[in-house]
């Protein structure tokens, strides 16, 4: 039997297919046969296998091709099932206006596993307008989440304006999170990705953001503020000259 540690085209081919281990030490003939039998039996289901010197490279490649095709087919079927499940769940995609009468049907009866985001707002409040614009874009990005909005006093009579904007987040009838008042959103400095992160932290959406953008945006705002102050000082200095 040929030396399994020998640098030959045959042994290289066997190593690529996992039949021979990498060359890190001496391999006995018994170990080699056991490895061969385990590998071929796993791939073919054969109870009786040929010794590796009796197998051609074409036979080995055929075994590998069959295994690759099986794994690829399994992966495709899994991805198709995932896509079909996502397509079935993606039934929203916009932000809907509701009244108090709609609340029970739209929130309490939203459906099993459905996350609901409800924005209470009023016209004429700039931050409310900004958040409605952001939510409209996020509703398109996350069509499996139900996005709702309602004029505050229409949904909740006598709801104080000082609490606006307000976002309630529900899951299967339970309120999971609430953001109340302008300070909860950081005021008019709120960015789209920041709102997305806030909703994701509450569990309402599955974001592809890797870290809290508020940290990055805060650093950027500080740098921008410093540059503006420097420009103002330079301008004042020029006027004095």
């Amino acid at each position: 039997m040929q030396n399994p540690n020998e640098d030959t085209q045959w042994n290289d081919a066997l190593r690529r297919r996992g039949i021979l281990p990498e060359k890190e030490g001496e391999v006995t003939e018994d170990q080699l046969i056991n490895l061969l039998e385990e590998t071929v039996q796993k791939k073919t289901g054969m109870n009786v296998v040929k010794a590796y010197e009796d197998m051609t490279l074409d036979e080995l490649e055929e075994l590998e091709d069959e295994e690759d095709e099986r794994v690829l087919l399994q992966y495709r079927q899994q991805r198709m099932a995932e896509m079909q499940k996502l397509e079935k769940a993606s039934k929203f995609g916009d932000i809907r206006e509701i009244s108090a009468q709609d609340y029970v049907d739209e929130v309490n009866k939203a459906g099993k596993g459905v996350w609901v985001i409800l924005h209470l707002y009023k016209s004429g409040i700039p931050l409310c307008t900004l958040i409605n614009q952001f939510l409209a874009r996020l509703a398109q990005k996350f069509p499996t989440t139900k996005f709702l909005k309602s004029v505050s006093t229409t949904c909740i009579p006598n709801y104080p304006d000082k609490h606006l904007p307000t976002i309630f987040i529900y899951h299967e009838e339970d309120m999971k999170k609430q953001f109340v008042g302008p300070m909860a959103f950081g005021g008019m400095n709120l960015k789209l990705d920041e709102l997305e992160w806030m909703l994701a932290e509450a569990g309402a959406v599955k974001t592809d953001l890797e870290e809290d953008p508020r940290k990055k945006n805060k650093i950027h705002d500080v740098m921008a503020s410093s540059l503006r102050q420097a420009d103002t000082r330079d301008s004042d200095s020029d006027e004095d000259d």
Side-chain angles (χ1 to χ4, degrees):
M1 190 173 191
Q2 68 185 81
N3 183 359
N5 288 310
E6 187 177 353
D7 289 325
T8 65
Q9 182 180 5
W10 182 261
N11 284 345
D12 290 341
L14 294 176
R15 289 191 188 95
R16 287 197 300 271
R17 289 156 179 79
I19 296 173
L20 280 180
E22 294 297 327
K23 288 177 54 181
E24 296 181 354
E26 292 296 326
V27 180
T28 66
E29 181 174 335
D30 289 341
Q31 289 175 323
L32 178 60
I33 293 175
N34 288 337
L35 282 171
L36 170 69
E37 291 179 347
E38 289 175 4
T39 302
V40 177
Q41 184 170 355
K42 180 180 177 181
K43 290 188 175 183
T44 66
M46 295 170 58
N47 294 323
V48 179
V49 297
K50 298 184 290 183
Y52 81 89
E53 64 265 24
D54 293 333
M55 298 180 68
T56 66
L57 284 175
D58 290 340
E59 287 176 316
L60 290 172
E61 290 176 357
E62 184 178 352
L63 288 177
E64 184 180 52
D65 291 343
E66 289 175 357
E67 178 69 8
D68 290 344
E69 288 178 4
R70 185 189 66 79
V71 172
L72 182 58
L73 178 60
Q74 183 178 358
Y75 175 75
R76 285 175 177 169
Q77 291 173 338
Q78 180 181 341
R79 287 293 296 137
M80 286 179 64
E82 291 173 354
M83 292 172 65
Q84 289 171 352
K85 182 178 179 180
L86 179 61
E87 183 179 359
K88 184 177 180 181
S90 301
K91 54 187 177 182
F92 304 114
D94 59 4
I95 181 168
R96 306 176 187 179
E97 185 88 28
I98 66 168
S99 64
Q101 289 74 25
D102 302 321
Y103 181 89
V104 172
D105 288 337
E106 295 291 346
V107 176
N108 292 347
K109 298 181 180 180
K112 183 175 177 60
V114 175
W115 285 87
V116 179
I117 296 171
L118 173 61
H119 177 215
L120 300 185
Y121 75 98
K122 260 192 178 179
S123 299
I125 299 179
L127 185 54
C128 288
T129 301
L130 180 66
I131 288 178
N132 273 336
Q133 293 172 354
F134 286 167
L135 291 179
R137 294 171 62 181
L138 292 174
Q140 294 178 338
K141 183 175 181 179
F142 303 105
T144 61
T145 298
K146 178 183 280 192
F147 287 78
L148 305 172
K149 63 180 179 179
S150 179
V151 174
S152 57
T153 50
T154 297
C155 191
I156 305 176
N158 302 316
Y159 193 77
D161 287 356
K162 67 179 181 180
H163 292 162
L164 299 179
T166 292
I167 286 182
F168 295 132
I169 298 178
Y170 301 88
H171 185 251
E172 297 182 353
E173 300 188 38
D174 294 330
M175 184 183 293
K176 298 299 184 181
K177 185 73 175 181
Q178 56 182 336
F179 301 99
V180 180
M183 296 308 297
F185 300 94
M188 288 299 293
N189 290 324
L190 178 69
K191 306 292 193 301
L192 176 62
D193 57 355
E194 294 175 349
L195 182 57
E196 178 178 334
W197 185 266
M198 292 166 64
L199 300 180
E201 280 190 316
V205 300
K206 293 184 179 180
T207 181
D208 53 3
L209 298 173
E210 296 181 354
E211 61 180 358
D212 189 344
R214 288 172 292 191
K215 300 176 183 178
K216 178 184 66 177
N217 292 339
K218 184 176 181 180
I219 294 174
H220 181 271
D221 290 343
V222 170
M223 293 177 62
S225 177
S226 299
L227 290 173
R228 286 195 296 269
Q229 292 177 2
D231 289 342
T232 301
R233 287 195 297 268
D234 291 342
S235 178
D236 291 342
S237 177
D238 292 341
E239 290 179 359
D240 291 342
D241 293 342

mmCIF file of all heavy atoms in Angstrom, residues 116-151:
data_model
loop_
_atom_site.group_PDB
_atom_site.id
_atom_site.type_symbol
_atom_site.label_atom_id
_atom_site.label_comp_id
_atom_site.label_asym_id
_atom_site.label_seq_id
_atom_site.Cartn_x
_atom_site.Cartn_y
_atom_site.Cartn_z
ATOM 1 N N VAL A 116 -46.633 45.693 16.497
ATOM 2 C CA VAL A 116 -47.395 46.878 16.105
ATOM 3 C C VAL A 116 -46.711 48.119 16.661
ATOM 4 O O VAL A 116 -46.374 48.182 17.849
ATOM 5 C CB VAL A 116 -48.846 46.815 16.625
ATOM 6 C CG1 VAL A 116 -49.615 48.076 16.215
ATOM 7 C CG2 VAL A 116 -49.551 45.569 16.099
ATOM 8 N N ILE A 117 -46.508 49.105 15.800
ATOM 9 C CA ILE A 117 -45.943 50.396 16.202
ATOM 10 C C ILE A 117 -47.010 51.462 15.976
ATOM 11 O O ILE A 117 -47.475 51.657 14.849
ATOM 12 C CB ILE A 117 -44.684 50.731 15.386
ATOM 13 C CG1 ILE A 117 -43.588 49.704 15.672
ATOM 14 C CG2 ILE A 117 -44.185 52.141 15.696
ATOM 15 C CD1 ILE A 117 -42.385 49.809 14.752
ATOM 16 N N LEU A 118 -47.425 52.135 17.044
ATOM 17 C CA LEU A 118 -48.465 53.163 16.964
ATOM 18 C C LEU A 118 -47.878 54.514 17.340
ATOM 19 O O LEU A 118 -47.353 54.684 18.447
ATOM 20 C CB LEU A 118 -49.626 52.819 17.901
ATOM 21 C CG LEU A 118 -50.715 53.890 18.058
ATOM 22 C CD1 LEU A 118 -51.390 54.197 16.730
ATOM 23 C CD2 LEU A 118 -51.753 53.454 19.101
ATOM 24 N N HIS A 119 -47.990 55.465 16.435
ATOM 25 C CA HIS A 119 -47.496 56.821 16.669
ATOM 26 C C HIS A 119 -48.669 57.754 16.923
ATOM 27 O O HIS A 119 -49.548 57.915 16.059
ATOM 28 C CB HIS A 119 -46.697 57.310 15.453
ATOM 29 C CG HIS A 119 -46.209 58.717 15.589
ATOM 30 N ND1 HIS A 119 -46.122 59.585 14.513
ATOM 31 C CD2 HIS A 119 -45.789 59.424 16.679
ATOM 32 C CE1 HIS A 119 -45.661 60.743 14.932
ATOM 33 N NE2 HIS A 119 -45.452 60.674 16.240
ATOM 34 N N LEU A 120 -48.690 58.373 18.099
ATOM 35 C CA LEU A 120 -49.677 59.416 18.404
ATOM 36 C C LEU A 120 -49.052 60.760 18.070
ATOM 37 O O LEU A 120 -47.950 61.066 18.535
ATOM 38 C CB LEU A 120 -50.071 59.370 19.885
ATOM 39 C CG LEU A 120 -50.695 58.066 20.394
ATOM 40 C CD1 LEU A 120 -51.137 58.232 21.842
ATOM 41 C CD2 LEU A 120 -51.865 57.636 19.526
ATOM 42 N N TYR A 121 -49.746 61.558 17.274
ATOM 43 C CA TYR A 121 -49.168 62.808 16.784
ATOM 44 C C TYR A 121 -50.233 63.891 16.683
ATOM 45 O O TYR A 121 -51.428 63.640 16.876
ATOM 46 C CB TYR A 121 -48.546 62.577 15.411
ATOM 47 C CG TYR A 121 -49.569 62.446 14.301
ATOM 48 C CD1 TYR A 121 -49.889 63.539 13.482
ATOM 49 C CD2 TYR A 121 -50.235 61.242 14.078
ATOM 50 C CE1 TYR A 121 -50.843 63.420 12.477
ATOM 51 C CE2 TYR A 121 -51.175 61.115 13.083
ATOM 52 C CZ TYR A 121 -51.479 62.211 12.279
ATOM 53 O OH TYR A 121 -52.430 62.096 11.292
ATOM 54 N N LYS A 122 -49.785 65.080 16.356
ATOM 55 C CA LYS A 122 -50.673 66.190 16.012
ATOM 56 C C LYS A 122 -50.039 67.003 14.910
ATOM 57 O O LYS A 122 -48.814 67.184 14.892
ATOM 58 C CB LYS A 122 -50.943 67.091 17.229
ATOM 59 C CG LYS A 122 -52.273 66.829 17.903
ATOM 60 C CD LYS A 122 -52.621 67.921 18.897
ATOM 61 C CE LYS A 122 -53.990 67.662 19.521
ATOM 62 N NZ LYS A 122 -54.327 68.701 20.510
ATOM 63 N N SER A 123 -50.858 67.486 14.014
ATOM 64 C CA SER A 123 -50.358 68.355 12.951
ATOM 65 C C SER A 123 -49.847 69.650 13.568
ATOM 66 O O SER A 123 -50.380 70.141 14.563
ATOM 67 C CB SER A 123 -51.472 68.664 11.944
ATOM 68 O OG SER A 123 -51.938 67.476 11.337
ATOM 69 N N GLY A 124 -48.815 70.196 12.956
ATOM 70 C CA GLY A 124 -48.264 71.453 13.445
ATOM 71 C C GLY A 124 -47.128 71.269 14.432
ATOM 72 O O GLY A 124 -46.483 72.251 14.819
ATOM 73 N N ILE A 125 -46.851 70.041 14.842
ATOM 74 C CA ILE A 125 -45.712 69.774 15.718
ATOM 75 C C ILE A 125 -44.598 69.187 14.848
ATOM 76 O O ILE A 125 -44.722 68.064 14.348
ATOM 77 C CB ILE A 125 -46.092 68.796 16.854
ATOM 78 C CG1 ILE A 125 -47.199 69.403 17.724
ATOM 79 C CG2 ILE A 125 -44.870 68.452 17.702
ATOM 80 C CD1 ILE A 125 -47.663 68.515 18.866
ATOM 81 N N PRO A 126 -43.530 69.937 14.618
ATOM 82 C CA PRO A 126 -42.495 69.519 13.647
ATOM 83 C C PRO A 126 -41.925 68.123 13.899
ATOM 84 O O PRO A 126 -41.723 67.357 12.956
ATOM 85 C CB PRO A 126 -41.419 70.596 13.804
ATOM 86 C CG PRO A 126 -42.161 71.795 14.287
ATOM 87 C CD PRO A 126 -43.236 71.265 15.182
ATOM 88 N N LEU A 127 -41.674 67.778 15.159
ATOM 89 C CA LEU A 127 -41.087 66.465 15.439
ATOM 90 C C LEU A 127 -42.067 65.344 15.099
ATOM 91 O O LEU A 127 -41.659 64.280 14.619
ATOM 92 C CB LEU A 127 -40.658 66.375 16.906
ATOM 93 C CG LEU A 127 -39.924 65.092 17.314
ATOM 94 C CD1 LEU A 127 -38.718 64.833 16.420
ATOM 95 C CD2 LEU A 127 -39.480 65.158 18.786
ATOM 96 N N CYS A 128 -43.348 65.581 15.301
ATOM 97 C CA CYS A 128 -44.362 64.587 14.912
ATOM 98 C C CYS A 128 -44.340 64.365 13.401
ATOM 99 O O CYS A 128 -44.431 63.232 12.921
ATOM 100 C CB CYS A 128 -45.752 65.046 15.352
ATOM 101 S SG CYS A 128 -46.042 64.962 17.125
ATOM 102 N N THR A 129 -44.235 65.472 12.667
ATOM 103 C CA THR A 129 -44.182 65.382 11.202
ATOM 104 C C THR A 129 -42.947 64.611 10.754
ATOM 105 O O THR A 129 -43.019 63.760 9.862
ATOM 106 C CB THR A 129 -44.164 66.794 10.590
ATOM 107 O OG1 THR A 129 -45.338 67.510 11.005
ATOM 108 C CG2 THR A 129 -44.127 66.723 9.068
ATOM 109 N N LEU A 130 -41.812 64.899 11.394
ATOM 110 C CA LEU A 130 -40.567 64.214 11.057
ATOM 111 C C LEU A 130 -40.679 62.710 11.322
ATOM 112 O O LEU A 130 -40.288 61.887 10.478
ATOM 113 C CB LEU A 130 -39.409 64.801 11.866
ATOM 114 C CG LEU A 130 -38.023 64.183 11.627
ATOM 115 C CD1 LEU A 130 -37.547 64.472 10.207
ATOM 116 C CD2 LEU A 130 -37.012 64.700 12.650
ATOM 117 N N ILE A 131 -41.227 62.352 12.455
ATOM 118 C CA ILE A 131 -41.346 60.932 12.805
ATOM 119 C C ILE A 131 -42.307 60.220 11.863
ATOM 120 O O ILE A 131 -42.070 59.064 11.465
ATOM 121 C CB ILE A 131 -41.782 60.781 14.280
ATOM 122 C CG1 ILE A 131 -40.614 61.167 15.194
ATOM 123 C CG2 ILE A 131 -42.245 59.350 14.577
ATOM 124 C CD1 ILE A 131 -40.923 61.117 16.670
ATOM 125 N N ASN A 132 -43.392 60.869 11.467
ATOM 126 C CA ASN A 132 -44.307 60.256 10.491
ATOM 127 C C ASN A 132 -43.587 59.972 9.176
ATOM 128 O O ASN A 132 -43.819 58.931 8.537
ATOM 129 C CB ASN A 132 -45.513 61.144 10.256
ATOM 130 C CG ASN A 132 -46.632 60.887 11.248
ATOM 131 O OD1 ASN A 132 -46.728 59.807 11.821
ATOM 132 N ND2 ASN A 132 -47.483 61.881 11.461
ATOM 133 N N GLN A 133 -42.710 60.900 8.759
ATOM 134 C CA GLN A 133 -41.942 60.686 7.528
ATOM 135 C C GLN A 133 -40.996 59.499 7.680
ATOM 136 O O GLN A 133 -40.880 58.653 6.781
ATOM 137 C CB GLN A 133 -41.159 61.953 7.189
ATOM 138 C CG GLN A 133 -42.036 63.136 6.798
ATOM 139 C CD GLN A 133 -41.228 64.418 6.656
ATOM 140 O OE1 GLN A 133 -40.033 64.469 6.951
ATOM 141 N NE2 GLN A 133 -41.892 65.489 6.209
ATOM 142 N N PHE A 134 -40.333 59.429 8.822
ATOM 143 C CA PHE A 134 -39.407 58.317 9.070
ATOM 144 C C PHE A 134 -40.153 56.985 9.132
ATOM 145 O O PHE A 134 -39.701 55.972 8.566
ATOM 146 C CB PHE A 134 -38.655 58.540 10.386
ATOM 147 C CG PHE A 134 -37.586 59.597 10.316
ATOM 148 C CD1 PHE A 134 -37.008 60.108 11.479
ATOM 149 C CD2 PHE A 134 -37.135 60.083 9.096
ATOM 150 C CE1 PHE A 134 -36.011 61.071 11.417
ATOM 151 C CE2 PHE A 134 -36.138 61.058 9.024
ATOM 152 C CZ PHE A 134 -35.570 61.545 10.192
ATOM 153 N N LEU A 135 -41.289 56.967 9.812
ATOM 154 C CA LEU A 135 -42.049 55.720 9.952
ATOM 155 C C LEU A 135 -42.571 55.222 8.608
ATOM 156 O O LEU A 135 -42.651 54.005 8.380
ATOM 157 C CB LEU A 135 -43.206 55.912 10.934
ATOM 158 C CG LEU A 135 -42.812 56.120 12.405
ATOM 159 C CD1 LEU A 135 -44.050 56.318 13.264
ATOM 160 C CD2 LEU A 135 -41.986 54.943 12.932
ATOM 161 N N ALA A 136 -42.908 56.148 7.719
ATOM 162 C CA ALA A 136 -43.363 55.745 6.385
ATOM 163 C C ALA A 136 -42.256 55.011 5.641
ATOM 164 O O ALA A 136 -42.503 54.019 4.939
ATOM 165 C CB ALA A 136 -43.815 56.972 5.599
ATOM 166 N N ARG A 137 -41.029 55.471 5.808
ATOM 167 C CA ARG A 137 -39.899 54.813 5.148
ATOM 168 C C ARG A 137 -39.566 53.482 5.820
ATOM 169 O O ARG A 137 -39.257 52.492 5.143
ATOM 170 C CB ARG A 137 -38.690 55.747 5.172
ATOM 171 C CG ARG A 137 -38.893 57.008 4.341
ATOM 172 C CD ARG A 137 -37.792 58.026 4.533
ATOM 173 N NE ARG A 137 -36.488 57.530 4.108
ATOM 174 C CZ ARG A 137 -35.356 58.236 4.194
ATOM 175 N NH1 ARG A 137 -35.400 59.474 4.678
ATOM 176 N NH2 ARG A 137 -34.216 57.719 3.783
ATOM 177 N N LEU A 138 -39.648 53.449 7.141
ATOM 178 C CA LEU A 138 -39.352 52.213 7.859
ATOM 179 C C LEU A 138 -40.429 51.155 7.612
ATOM 180 O O LEU A 138 -40.135 49.952 7.610
ATOM 181 C CB LEU A 138 -39.212 52.492 9.359
ATOM 182 C CG LEU A 138 -37.992 53.333 9.758
ATOM 183 C CD1 LEU A 138 -38.035 53.674 11.245
ATOM 184 C CD2 LEU A 138 -36.696 52.586 9.427
ATOM 185 N N ALA A 139 -41.660 51.586 7.394
ATOM 186 C CA ALA A 139 -42.745 50.639 7.104
ATOM 187 C C ALA A 139 -42.475 49.896 5.806
ATOM 188 O O ALA A 139 -42.793 48.706 5.679
ATOM 189 C CB ALA A 139 -44.075 51.378 7.035
ATOM 190 N N GLN A 140 -41.883 50.573 4.840
ATOM 191 C CA GLN A 140 -41.522 49.918 3.580
ATOM 192 C C GLN A 140 -40.362 48.955 3.782
ATOM 193 O O GLN A 140 -40.314 47.882 3.157
ATOM 194 C CB GLN A 140 -41.151 50.968 2.534
ATOM 195 C CG GLN A 140 -42.315 51.856 2.111
ATOM 196 C CD GLN A 140 -41.890 52.913 1.097
ATOM 197 O OE1 GLN A 140 -40.715 53.261 0.993
ATOM 198 N NE2 GLN A 140 -42.840 53.420 0.344
ATOM 199 N N LYS A 141 -39.443 49.313 4.662
ATOM 200 C CA LYS A 141 -38.267 48.473 4.897
ATOM 201 C C LYS A 141 -38.614 47.226 5.712
ATOM 202 O O LYS A 141 -38.006 46.174 5.531
ATOM 203 C CB LYS A 141 -37.193 49.286 5.623
ATOM 204 C CG LYS A 141 -35.889 48.525 5.850
ATOM 205 C CD LYS A 141 -34.820 49.420 6.465
ATOM 206 C CE LYS A 141 -33.513 48.649 6.662
ATOM 207 N NZ LYS A 141 -32.440 49.510 7.248
ATOM 208 N N PHE A 142 -39.617 47.348 6.596
ATOM 209 C CA PHE A 142 -39.973 46.237 7.483
ATOM 210 C C PHE A 142 -41.460 45.902 7.322
ATOM 211 O O PHE A 142 -42.285 46.224 8.193
ATOM 212 C CB PHE A 142 -39.660 46.600 8.942
ATOM 213 C CG PHE A 142 -38.229 46.970 9.187
ATOM 214 C CD1 PHE A 142 -37.869 48.294 9.371
ATOM 215 C CD2 PHE A 142 -37.237 46.004 9.217
ATOM 216 C CE1 PHE A 142 -36.553 48.649 9.603
ATOM 217 C CE2 PHE A 142 -35.913 46.344 9.453
ATOM 218 C CZ PHE A 142 -35.568 47.671 9.639
ATOM 219 N N PRO A 143 -41.828 45.255 6.201
ATOM 220 C CA PRO A 143 -43.251 45.012 5.899
ATOM 221 C C PRO A 143 -43.911 43.956 6.769
ATOM 222 O O PRO A 143 -45.123 43.758 6.674
ATOM 223 C CB PRO A 143 -43.214 44.558 4.437
ATOM 224 C CG PRO A 143 -41.856 43.953 4.259
ATOM 225 C CD PRO A 143 -40.943 44.779 5.113
ATOM 226 N N THR A 144 -43.146 43.268 7.622
ATOM 227 C CA THR A 144 -43.768 42.297 8.523
ATOM 228 C C THR A 144 -44.240 42.948 9.829
ATOM 229 O O THR A 144 -44.905 42.301 10.634
ATOM 230 C CB THR A 144 -42.787 41.156 8.869
ATOM 231 O OG1 THR A 144 -41.642 41.690 9.527
ATOM 232 C CG2 THR A 144 -42.350 40.419 7.605
ATOM 233 N N THR A 145 -43.880 44.202 10.036
ATOM 234 C CA THR A 145 -44.312 44.964 11.212
ATOM 235 C C THR A 145 -45.447 45.906 10.808
ATOM 236 O O THR A 145 -45.386 46.533 9.758
ATOM 237 C CB THR A 145 -43.144 45.768 11.805
ATOM 238 O OG1 THR A 145 -42.113 44.865 12.230
ATOM 239 C CG2 THR A 145 -43.586 46.600 12.988
ATOM 240 N N LYS A 146 -46.461 46.000 11.653
ATOM 241 C CA LYS A 146 -47.591 46.887 11.359
ATOM 242 C C LYS A 146 -47.297 48.272 11.931
ATOM 243 O O LYS A 146 -47.102 48.440 13.139
ATOM 244 C CB LYS A 146 -48.883 46.331 11.966
ATOM 245 C CG LYS A 146 -50.088 47.248 11.730
ATOM 246 C CD LYS A 146 -51.347 46.716 12.393
ATOM 247 C CE LYS A 146 -51.984 45.627 11.557
ATOM 248 N NZ LYS A 146 -53.359 45.300 12.051
ATOM 249 N N PHE A 147 -47.283 49.265 11.051
ATOM 250 C CA PHE A 147 -47.055 50.663 11.441
ATOM 251 C C PHE A 147 -48.381 51.414 11.391
ATOM 252 O O PHE A 147 -49.060 51.417 10.354
ATOM 253 C CB PHE A 147 -46.043 51.330 10.502
ATOM 254 C CG PHE A 147 -44.617 50.883 10.705
ATOM 255 C CD1 PHE A 147 -44.174 49.662 10.203
ATOM 256 C CD2 PHE A 147 -43.715 51.680 11.388
ATOM 257 C CE1 PHE A 147 -42.864 49.244 10.385
ATOM 258 C CE2 PHE A 147 -42.392 51.274 11.571
ATOM 259 C CZ PHE A 147 -41.967 50.049 11.070
ATOM 260 N N LEU A 148 -48.720 52.071 12.497
ATOM 261 C CA LEU A 148 -49.969 52.827 12.603
ATOM 262 C C LEU A 148 -49.680 54.230 13.118
ATOM 263 O O LEU A 148 -48.698 54.460 13.818
ATOM 264 C CB LEU A 148 -50.936 52.132 13.559
ATOM 265 C CG LEU A 148 -51.288 50.664 13.270
ATOM 266 C CD1 LEU A 148 -52.098 50.088 14.416
ATOM 267 C CD2 LEU A 148 -52.046 50.534 11.955
ATOM 268 N N LYS A 149 -50.580 55.150 12.788
ATOM 269 C CA LYS A 149 -50.514 56.492 13.354
ATOM 270 C C LYS A 149 -51.927 56.961 13.633
ATOM 271 O O LYS A 149 -52.891 56.518 13.006
ATOM 272 C CB LYS A 149 -49.803 57.459 12.398
ATOM 273 C CG LYS A 149 -50.501 57.658 11.067
ATOM 274 C CD LYS A 149 -49.721 58.624 10.183
ATOM 275 C CE LYS A 149 -50.427 58.807 8.823
ATOM 276 N NZ LYS A 149 -49.713 59.760 7.952
ATOM 277 N N SER A 150 -52.036 57.871 14.602
ATOM 278 C CA SER A 150 -53.349 58.407 14.944
ATOM 279 C C SER A 150 -53.172 59.769 15.599
ATOM 280 O O SER A 150 -52.231 59.965 16.394
ATOM 281 C CB SER A 150 -54.083 57.460 15.901
ATOM 282 O OG SER A 150 -55.344 57.988 16.256
ATOM 283 N N VAL A 151 -54.066 60.701 15.262
ATOM 284 C CA VAL A 151 -54.071 61.989 15.959
ATOM 285 C C VAL A 151 -54.319 61.700 17.434
ATOM 286 O O VAL A 151 -55.246 60.952 17.790
ATOM 287 C CB VAL A 151 -55.149 62.913 15.382
ATOM 288 C CG1 VAL A 151 -55.238 64.198 16.212
ATOM 289 C CG2 VAL A 151 -54.860 63.236 13.925
#
